mmCIF file with all atom_site columns, all heavy atoms in Angstrom:
data_model
loop_
_atom_site.group_PDB
_atom_site.id
_atom_site.type_symbol
_atom_site.label_atom_id
_atom_site.label_alt_id
_atom_site.label_comp_id
_atom_site.label_asym_id
_atom_site.label_entity_id
_atom_site.label_seq_id
_atom_site.pdbx_PDB_ins_code
_atom_site.Cartn_x
_atom_site.Cartn_y
_atom_site.Cartn_z
_atom_site.occupancy
_atom_site.B_iso_or_equiv
_atom_site.pdbx_formal_charge
_atom_site.auth_seq_id
_atom_site.auth_comp_id
_atom_site.auth_asym_id
_atom_site.auth_atom_id
_atom_site.pdbx_PDB_model_num
ATOM 1   N N   . HIS A 1 1  ? 89.167 31.291 292.717 1.00 98.00 ? 1  HIS A N   1
ATOM 2   C CA  . HIS A 1 1  ? 88.981 31.023 294.147 1.00 98.00 ? 1  HIS A CA  1
ATOM 3   C C   . HIS A 1 1  ? 88.092 29.799 294.392 1.00 98.00 ? 1  HIS A C   1
ATOM 4   O O   . HIS A 1 1  ? 87.589 29.604 295.496 1.00 98.00 ? 1  HIS A O   1
ATOM 5   C CB  . HIS A 1 1  ? 88.367 32.233 294.838 1.00 98.00 ? 1  HIS A CB  1
ATOM 6   C CG  . HIS A 1 1  ? 89.218 33.455 294.736 1.00 98.00 ? 1  HIS A CG  1
ATOM 7   N ND1 . HIS A 1 1  ? 90.460 33.557 295.322 1.00 98.00 ? 1  HIS A ND1 1
ATOM 8   C CD2 . HIS A 1 1  ? 89.020 34.626 294.080 1.00 98.00 ? 1  HIS A CD2 1
ATOM 9   C CE1 . HIS A 1 1  ? 90.983 34.728 295.049 1.00 98.00 ? 1  HIS A CE1 1
ATOM 10  N NE2 . HIS A 1 1  ? 90.126 35.396 294.288 1.00 98.00 ? 1  HIS A NE2 1
ATOM 11  N N   . THR A 1 2  ? 87.888 28.994 293.348 1.00 98.00 ? 2  THR A N   1
ATOM 12  C CA  . THR A 1 2  ? 86.981 27.848 293.442 1.00 98.00 ? 2  THR A CA  1
ATOM 13  C C   . THR A 1 2  ? 87.707 26.557 293.070 1.00 98.00 ? 2  THR A C   1
ATOM 14  O O   . THR A 1 2  ? 88.548 26.554 292.178 1.00 98.00 ? 2  THR A O   1
ATOM 15  C CB  . THR A 1 2  ? 85.780 28.041 292.484 1.00 98.00 ? 2  THR A CB  1
ATOM 16  O OG1 . THR A 1 2  ? 85.147 29.291 292.781 1.00 98.00 ? 2  THR A OG1 1
ATOM 17  C CG2 . THR A 1 2  ? 84.769 26.918 292.617 1.00 98.00 ? 2  THR A CG2 1
ATOM 18  N N   . ALA A 1 3  ? 87.357 25.479 293.747 1.00 98.00 ? 3  ALA A N   1
ATOM 19  C CA  . ALA A 1 3  ? 87.870 24.144 293.411 1.00 98.00 ? 3  ALA A CA  1
ATOM 20  C C   . ALA A 1 3  ? 86.697 23.176 293.355 1.00 98.00 ? 3  ALA A C   1
ATOM 21  O O   . ALA A 1 3  ? 85.667 23.394 293.992 1.00 98.00 ? 3  ALA A O   1
ATOM 22  C CB  . ALA A 1 3  ? 88.889 23.673 294.442 1.00 98.00 ? 3  ALA A CB  1
ATOM 23  N N   . MET A 1 4  ? 86.873 22.107 292.584 1.00 98.00 ? 4  MET A N   1
ATOM 24  C CA  . MET A 1 4  ? 85.881 21.038 292.490 1.00 98.00 ? 4  MET A CA  1
ATOM 25  C C   . MET A 1 4  ? 86.510 19.762 293.010 1.00 98.00 ? 4  MET A C   1
ATOM 26  O O   . MET A 1 4  ? 87.625 19.406 292.615 1.00 98.00 ? 4  MET A O   1
ATOM 27  C CB  . MET A 1 4  ? 85.435 20.835 291.038 1.00 98.00 ? 4  MET A CB  1
ATOM 28  C CG  . MET A 1 4  ? 84.504 19.648 290.815 1.00 98.00 ? 4  MET A CG  1
ATOM 29  S SD  . MET A 1 4  ? 82.914 19.893 291.619 1.00 98.00 ? 4  MET A SD  1
ATOM 30  C CE  . MET A 1 4  ? 82.278 18.231 291.647 1.00 98.00 ? 4  MET A CE  1
ATOM 31  N N   . LEU A 1 5  ? 85.798 19.073 293.875 1.00 98.00 ? 5  LEU A N   1
ATOM 32  C CA  . LEU A 1 5  ? 86.254 17.810 294.438 1.00 98.00 ? 5  LEU A CA  1
ATOM 33  C C   . LEU A 1 5  ? 85.327 16.702 293.970 1.00 98.00 ? 5  LEU A C   1
ATOM 34  O O   . LEU A 1 5  ? 84.118 16.773 294.180 1.00 98.00 ? 5  LEU A O   1
ATOM 35  C CB  . LEU A 1 5  ? 86.247 17.890 295.968 1.00 98.00 ? 5  LEU A CB  1
ATOM 36  C CG  . LEU A 1 5  ? 86.513 16.603 296.727 1.00 98.00 ? 5  LEU A CG  1
ATOM 37  C CD1 . LEU A 1 5  ? 87.893 16.059 296.407 1.00 98.00 ? 5  LEU A CD1 1
ATOM 38  C CD2 . LEU A 1 5  ? 86.352 16.840 298.212 1.00 98.00 ? 5  LEU A CD2 1
ATOM 39  N N   . GLY A 1 6  ? 85.888 15.688 293.319 1.00 97.00 ? 6  GLY A N   1
ATOM 40  C CA  . GLY A 1 6  ? 85.074 14.591 292.842 1.00 97.00 ? 6  GLY A CA  1
ATOM 41  C C   . GLY A 1 6  ? 85.878 13.323 292.644 1.00 97.00 ? 6  GLY A C   1
ATOM 42  O O   . GLY A 1 6  ? 87.096 13.306 292.832 1.00 97.00 ? 6  GLY A O   1
ATOM 43  N N   . ASP A 1 7  ? 85.181 12.267 292.233 1.00 94.00 ? 7  ASP A N   1
ATOM 44  C CA  . ASP A 1 7  ? 85.840 10.970 292.056 1.00 94.00 ? 7  ASP A CA  1
ATOM 45  C C   . ASP A 1 7  ? 85.858 10.498 290.605 1.00 94.00 ? 7  ASP A C   1
ATOM 46  O O   . ASP A 1 7  ? 86.386 9.430  290.329 1.00 94.00 ? 7  ASP A O   1
ATOM 47  C CB  . ASP A 1 7  ? 85.152 9.908  292.923 1.00 94.00 ? 7  ASP A CB  1
ATOM 48  C CG  . ASP A 1 7  ? 83.749 9.591  292.447 1.00 94.00 ? 7  ASP A CG  1
ATOM 49  O OD1 . ASP A 1 7  ? 82.950 10.518 292.252 1.00 94.00 ? 7  ASP A OD1 1
ATOM 50  O OD2 . ASP A 1 7  ? 83.445 8.400  292.260 1.00 94.00 ? 7  ASP A OD2 1
ATOM 51  N N   . LYS A 1 8  ? 85.286 11.281 289.691 1.00 92.00 ? 8  LYS A N   1
ATOM 52  C CA  . LYS A 1 8  ? 85.230 10.836 288.289 1.00 92.00 ? 8  LYS A CA  1
ATOM 53  C C   . LYS A 1 8  ? 85.842 11.866 287.351 1.00 92.00 ? 8  LYS A C   1
ATOM 54  O O   . LYS A 1 8  ? 85.555 13.065 287.434 1.00 92.00 ? 8  LYS A O   1
ATOM 55  C CB  . LYS A 1 8  ? 83.788 10.561 287.881 1.00 92.00 ? 8  LYS A CB  1
ATOM 56  C CG  . LYS A 1 8  ? 83.225 9.324  288.563 1.00 92.00 ? 8  LYS A CG  1
ATOM 57  C CD  . LYS A 1 8  ? 81.977 8.837  287.881 1.00 92.00 ? 8  LYS A CD  1
ATOM 58  C CE  . LYS A 1 8  ? 81.455 7.581  288.523 1.00 92.00 ? 8  LYS A CE  1
ATOM 59  N NZ  . LYS A 1 8  ? 81.220 7.675  289.948 1.00 92.00 ? 8  LYS A NZ  1
ATOM 60  N N   . LEU A 1 9  ? 86.648 11.357 286.424 1.00 92.00 ? 9  LEU A N   1
ATOM 61  C CA  . LEU A 1 9  ? 87.284 12.230 285.440 1.00 92.00 ? 9  LEU A CA  1
ATOM 62  C C   . LEU A 1 9  ? 86.295 12.807 284.441 1.00 92.00 ? 9  LEU A C   1
ATOM 63  O O   . LEU A 1 9  ? 86.374 13.985 284.092 1.00 92.00 ? 9  LEU A O   1
ATOM 64  C CB  . LEU A 1 9  ? 88.356 11.454 284.658 1.00 92.00 ? 9  LEU A CB  1
ATOM 65  C CG  . LEU A 1 9  ? 89.595 11.029 285.414 1.00 92.00 ? 9  LEU A CG  1
ATOM 66  C CD1 . LEU A 1 9  ? 90.477 10.170 284.519 1.00 92.00 ? 9  LEU A CD1 1
ATOM 67  C CD2 . LEU A 1 9  ? 90.361 12.224 285.914 1.00 92.00 ? 9  LEU A CD2 1
ATOM 68  N N   . LEU A 1 10 ? 85.379 11.973 283.955 1.00 91.00 ? 10 LEU A N   1
ATOM 69  C CA  . LEU A 1 10 ? 84.503 12.394 282.857 1.00 91.00 ? 10 LEU A CA  1
ATOM 70  C C   . LEU A 1 10 ? 83.420 13.376 283.275 1.00 91.00 ? 10 LEU A C   1
ATOM 71  O O   . LEU A 1 10 ? 82.795 13.995 282.416 1.00 91.00 ? 10 LEU A O   1
ATOM 72  C CB  . LEU A 1 10 ? 83.866 11.174 282.195 1.00 91.00 ? 10 LEU A CB  1
ATOM 73  C CG  . LEU A 1 10 ? 84.837 10.264 281.455 1.00 91.00 ? 10 LEU A CG  1
ATOM 74  C CD1 . LEU A 1 10 ? 84.127 9.025  280.935 1.00 91.00 ? 10 LEU A CD1 1
ATOM 75  C CD2 . LEU A 1 10 ? 85.528 11.001 280.315 1.00 91.00 ? 10 LEU A CD2 1
ATOM 76  N N   . THR A 1 11 ? 83.190 13.529 284.550 1.00 94.00 ? 11 THR A N   1
ATOM 77  C CA  . THR A 1 11 ? 82.197 14.506 285.005 1.00 94.00 ? 11 THR A CA  1
ATOM 78  C C   . THR A 1 11 ? 82.856 15.582 285.851 1.00 94.00 ? 11 THR A C   1
ATOM 79  O O   . THR A 1 11 ? 82.884 16.747 285.459 1.00 94.00 ? 11 THR A O   1
ATOM 80  C CB  . THR A 1 11 ? 81.072 13.821 285.801 1.00 94.00 ? 11 THR A CB  1
ATOM 81  O OG1 . THR A 1 11 ? 81.642 13.035 286.855 1.00 94.00 ? 11 THR A OG1 1
ATOM 82  C CG2 . THR A 1 11 ? 80.218 12.952 284.905 1.00 94.00 ? 11 THR A CG2 1
ATOM 83  N N   . ASP A 1 12 ? 83.421 15.198 286.972 1.00 97.00 ? 12 ASP A N   1
ATOM 84  C CA  . ASP A 1 12 ? 83.946 16.166 287.936 1.00 97.00 ? 12 ASP A CA  1
ATOM 85  C C   . ASP A 1 12 ? 85.194 16.902 287.433 1.00 97.00 ? 12 ASP A C   1
ATOM 86  O O   . ASP A 1 12 ? 85.241 18.130 287.436 1.00 97.00 ? 12 ASP A O   1
ATOM 87  C CB  . ASP A 1 12 ? 84.254 15.464 289.261 1.00 97.00 ? 12 ASP A CB  1
ATOM 88  C CG  . ASP A 1 12 ? 83.067 14.693 289.801 1.00 97.00 ? 12 ASP A CG  1
ATOM 89  O OD1 . ASP A 1 12 ? 81.955 15.252 289.798 1.00 97.00 ? 12 ASP A OD1 1
ATOM 90  O OD2 . ASP A 1 12 ? 83.239 13.531 290.211 1.00 97.00 ? 12 ASP A OD2 1
ATOM 91  N N   . VAL A 1 13 ? 86.190 16.155 287.000 1.00 96.00 ? 13 VAL A N   1
ATOM 92  C CA  . VAL A 1 13 ? 87.447 16.769 286.571 1.00 96.00 ? 13 VAL A CA  1
ATOM 93  C C   . VAL A 1 13 ? 87.266 17.526 285.251 1.00 96.00 ? 13 VAL A C   1
ATOM 94  O O   . VAL A 1 13 ? 87.664 18.684 285.136 1.00 96.00 ? 13 VAL A O   1
ATOM 95  C CB  . VAL A 1 13 ? 88.583 15.726 286.453 1.00 96.00 ? 13 VAL A CB  1
ATOM 96  C CG1 . VAL A 1 13 ? 89.828 16.317 285.814 1.00 96.00 ? 13 VAL A CG1 1
ATOM 97  C CG2 . VAL A 1 13 ? 88.918 15.165 287.838 1.00 96.00 ? 13 VAL A CG2 1
ATOM 98  N N   . LEU A 1 14 ? 86.656 16.889 284.278 1.00 96.00 ? 14 LEU A N   1
ATOM 99  C CA  . LEU A 1 14 ? 86.449 17.556 282.988 1.00 96.00 ? 14 LEU A CA  1
ATOM 100 C C   . LEU A 1 14 ? 85.606 18.819 283.157 1.00 96.00 ? 14 LEU A C   1
ATOM 101 O O   . LEU A 1 14 ? 85.927 19.869 282.603 1.00 96.00 ? 14 LEU A O   1
ATOM 102 C CB  . LEU A 1 14 ? 85.796 16.607 281.985 1.00 96.00 ? 14 LEU A CB  1
ATOM 103 C CG  . LEU A 1 14 ? 85.498 17.192 280.601 1.00 96.00 ? 14 LEU A CG  1
ATOM 104 C CD1 . LEU A 1 14 ? 86.768 17.720 279.936 1.00 96.00 ? 14 LEU A CD1 1
ATOM 105 C CD2 . LEU A 1 14 ? 84.831 16.135 279.720 1.00 96.00 ? 14 LEU A CD2 1
ATOM 106 N N   . GLY A 1 15 ? 84.546 18.747 283.939 1.00 97.00 ? 15 GLY A N   1
ATOM 107 C CA  . GLY A 1 15 ? 83.711 19.926 284.176 1.00 97.00 ? 15 GLY A CA  1
ATOM 108 C C   . GLY A 1 15 ? 84.472 21.042 284.871 1.00 97.00 ? 15 GLY A C   1
ATOM 109 O O   . GLY A 1 15 ? 84.314 22.221 284.542 1.00 97.00 ? 15 GLY A O   1
ATOM 110 N N   . ALA A 1 16 ? 85.304 20.677 285.841 1.00 97.00 ? 16 ALA A N   1
ATOM 111 C CA  . ALA A 1 16 ? 86.115 21.680 286.531 1.00 97.00 ? 16 ALA A CA  1
ATOM 112 C C   . ALA A 1 16 ? 87.076 22.351 285.556 1.00 97.00 ? 16 ALA A C   1
ATOM 113 O O   . ALA A 1 16 ? 87.195 23.584 285.527 1.00 97.00 ? 16 ALA A O   1
ATOM 114 C CB  . ALA A 1 16 ? 86.890 21.033 287.679 1.00 97.00 ? 16 ALA A CB  1
ATOM 115 N N   . LYS A 1 17 ? 87.747 21.557 284.749 1.00 96.00 ? 17 LYS A N   1
ATOM 116 C CA  . LYS A 1 17 ? 88.696 22.106 283.780 1.00 96.00 ? 17 LYS A CA  1
ATOM 117 C C   . LYS A 1 17 ? 87.985 23.026 282.785 1.00 96.00 ? 17 LYS A C   1
ATOM 118 O O   . LYS A 1 17 ? 88.486 24.101 282.458 1.00 96.00 ? 17 LYS A O   1
ATOM 119 C CB  . LYS A 1 17 ? 89.412 20.979 283.036 1.00 96.00 ? 17 LYS A CB  1
ATOM 120 C CG  . LYS A 1 17 ? 90.306 20.139 283.908 1.00 96.00 ? 17 LYS A CG  1
ATOM 121 C CD  . LYS A 1 17 ? 91.494 20.932 284.363 1.00 96.00 ? 17 LYS A CD  1
ATOM 122 C CE  . LYS A 1 17 ? 92.523 20.044 285.017 1.00 96.00 ? 17 LYS A CE  1
ATOM 123 N NZ  . LYS A 1 17 ? 93.806 20.707 285.148 1.00 96.00 ? 17 LYS A NZ  1
ATOM 124 N N   . ARG A 1 18 ? 86.828 22.592 282.310 1.00 96.00 ? 18 ARG A N   1
ATOM 125 C CA  . ARG A 1 18 ? 86.067 23.411 281.356 1.00 96.00 ? 18 ARG A CA  1
ATOM 126 C C   . ARG A 1 18 ? 85.590 24.709 281.993 1.00 96.00 ? 18 ARG A C   1
ATOM 127 O O   . ARG A 1 18 ? 85.393 25.708 281.312 1.00 96.00 ? 18 ARG A O   1
ATOM 128 C CB  . ARG A 1 18 ? 84.864 22.625 280.827 1.00 96.00 ? 18 ARG A CB  1
ATOM 129 C CG  . ARG A 1 18 ? 85.280 21.446 279.953 1.00 96.00 ? 18 ARG A CG  1
ATOM 130 C CD  . ARG A 1 18 ? 84.084 20.711 279.405 1.00 96.00 ? 18 ARG A CD  1
ATOM 131 N NE  . ARG A 1 18 ? 83.424 21.572 278.422 1.00 96.00 ? 18 ARG A NE  1
ATOM 132 C CZ  . ARG A 1 18 ? 82.109 21.598 278.216 1.00 96.00 ? 18 ARG A CZ  1
ATOM 133 N NH1 . ARG A 1 18 ? 81.315 20.823 278.907 1.00 96.00 ? 18 ARG A NH1 1
ATOM 134 N NH2 . ARG A 1 18 ? 81.600 22.401 277.309 1.00 96.00 ? 18 ARG A NH2 1
ATOM 135 N N   . SER A 1 19 ? 85.414 24.699 283.308 1.00 97.00 ? 19 SER A N   1
ATOM 136 C CA  . SER A 1 19 ? 84.951 25.887 284.032 1.00 97.00 ? 19 SER A CA  1
ATOM 137 C C   . SER A 1 19 ? 86.089 26.757 284.530 1.00 97.00 ? 19 SER A C   1
ATOM 138 O O   . SER A 1 19 ? 85.847 27.794 285.147 1.00 97.00 ? 19 SER A O   1
ATOM 139 C CB  . SER A 1 19 ? 84.069 25.455 285.221 1.00 97.00 ? 19 SER A CB  1
ATOM 140 O OG  . SER A 1 19 ? 82.962 24.715 284.757 1.00 97.00 ? 19 SER A OG  1
ATOM 141 N N   . GLY A 1 20 ? 87.320 26.311 284.319 1.00 96.00 ? 20 GLY A N   1
ATOM 142 C CA  . GLY A 1 20 ? 88.479 27.097 284.734 1.00 96.00 ? 20 GLY A CA  1
ATOM 143 C C   . GLY A 1 20 ? 88.772 27.054 286.215 1.00 96.00 ? 20 GLY A C   1
ATOM 144 O O   . GLY A 1 20 ? 89.382 27.973 286.758 1.00 96.00 ? 20 GLY A O   1
ATOM 145 N N   . ILE A 1 21 ? 88.346 25.978 286.883 1.00 97.00 ? 21 ILE A N   1
ATOM 146 C CA  . ILE A 1 21 ? 88.588 25.874 288.316 1.00 97.00 ? 21 ILE A CA  1
ATOM 147 C C   . ILE A 1 21 ? 89.507 24.698 288.631 1.00 97.00 ? 21 ILE A C   1
ATOM 148 O O   . ILE A 1 21 ? 89.688 23.798 287.819 1.00 97.00 ? 21 ILE A O   1
ATOM 149 C CB  . ILE A 1 21 ? 87.276 25.772 289.118 1.00 97.00 ? 21 ILE A CB  1
ATOM 150 C CG1 . ILE A 1 21 ? 86.500 24.504 288.794 1.00 97.00 ? 21 ILE A CG1 1
ATOM 151 C CG2 . ILE A 1 21 ? 86.393 26.992 288.857 1.00 97.00 ? 21 ILE A CG2 1
ATOM 152 C CD1 . ILE A 1 21 ? 85.228 24.344 289.623 1.00 97.00 ? 21 ILE A CD1 1
ATOM 153 N N   . LEU A 1 22 ? 90.086 24.725 289.820 1.00 97.00 ? 22 LEU A N   1
ATOM 154 C CA  . LEU A 1 22 ? 91.000 23.689 290.280 1.00 97.00 ? 22 LEU A CA  1
ATOM 155 C C   . LEU A 1 22 ? 90.262 22.363 290.417 1.00 97.00 ? 22 LEU A C   1
ATOM 156 O O   . LEU A 1 22 ? 89.184 22.298 291.011 1.00 97.00 ? 22 LEU A O   1
ATOM 157 C CB  . LEU A 1 22 ? 91.587 24.099 291.629 1.00 97.00 ? 22 LEU A CB  1
ATOM 158 C CG  . LEU A 1 22 ? 92.732 23.270 292.187 1.00 97.00 ? 22 LEU A CG  1
ATOM 159 C CD1 . LEU A 1 22 ? 93.987 23.470 291.343 1.00 97.00 ? 22 LEU A CD1 1
ATOM 160 C CD2 . LEU A 1 22 ? 93.003 23.666 293.629 1.00 97.00 ? 22 LEU A CD2 1
ATOM 161 N N   . ALA A 1 23 ? 90.830 21.295 289.860 1.00 97.00 ? 23 ALA A N   1
ATOM 162 C CA  . ALA A 1 23 ? 90.203 19.973 289.876 1.00 97.00 ? 23 ALA A CA  1
ATOM 163 C C   . ALA A 1 23 ? 90.912 19.066 290.880 1.00 97.00 ? 23 ALA A C   1
ATOM 164 O O   . ALA A 1 23 ? 92.069 18.699 290.684 1.00 97.00 ? 23 ALA A O   1
ATOM 165 C CB  . ALA A 1 23 ? 90.256 19.351 288.484 1.00 97.00 ? 23 ALA A CB  1
ATOM 166 N N   . LEU A 1 24 ? 90.202 18.719 291.954 1.00 98.00 ? 24 LEU A N   1
ATOM 167 C CA  . LEU A 1 24 ? 90.720 17.832 292.988 1.00 98.00 ? 24 LEU A CA  1
ATOM 168 C C   . LEU A 1 24 ? 89.999 16.493 292.859 1.00 98.00 ? 24 LEU A C   1
ATOM 169 O O   . LEU A 1 24 ? 88.783 16.451 292.737 1.00 98.00 ? 24 LEU A O   1
ATOM 170 C CB  . LEU A 1 24 ? 90.446 18.420 294.383 1.00 98.00 ? 24 LEU A CB  1
ATOM 171 C CG  . LEU A 1 24 ? 90.877 19.868 294.604 1.00 98.00 ? 24 LEU A CG  1
ATOM 172 C CD1 . LEU A 1 24 ? 90.470 20.331 295.997 1.00 98.00 ? 24 LEU A CD1 1
ATOM 173 C CD2 . LEU A 1 24 ? 92.373 20.033 294.388 1.00 98.00 ? 24 LEU A CD2 1
ATOM 174 N N   . MET A 1 25 ? 90.765 15.425 292.921 1.00 96.00 ? 25 MET A N   1
ATOM 175 C CA  . MET A 1 25 ? 90.171 14.102 292.720 1.00 96.00 ? 25 MET A CA  1
ATOM 176 C C   . MET A 1 25 ? 90.489 13.179 293.889 1.00 96.00 ? 25 MET A C   1
ATOM 177 O O   . MET A 1 25 ? 91.603 13.185 294.413 1.00 96.00 ? 25 MET A O   1
ATOM 178 C CB  . MET A 1 25 ? 90.692 13.489 291.431 1.00 96.00 ? 25 MET A CB  1
ATOM 179 C CG  . MET A 1 25 ? 90.013 12.202 291.064 1.00 96.00 ? 25 MET A CG  1
ATOM 180 S SD  . MET A 1 25 ? 90.535 11.670 289.427 1.00 96.00 ? 25 MET A SD  1
ATOM 181 C CE  . MET A 1 25 ? 89.479 10.275 289.228 1.00 96.00 ? 25 MET A CE  1
#
């Protein structure tokens, strides 16, 4: 039920993926 919104792959997207949450960029 959680998503992460960010502008960087190496922090926001990778962290979201590692945490099992939806990665929005």
Side-chain angles (χ1 to χ4, degrees):
H1 299 295
T2 305
M4 174 66 197
L5 172 62
D7 68 309
K8 290 196 178 55
L9 292 175
L10 293 175
T11 53
D12 306 314
V13 172
L14 179 58
K17 294 291 191 165
R18 292 182 69 214
S19 301
I21 64 177
L22 190 69
L24 309 177
M25 187 172 185

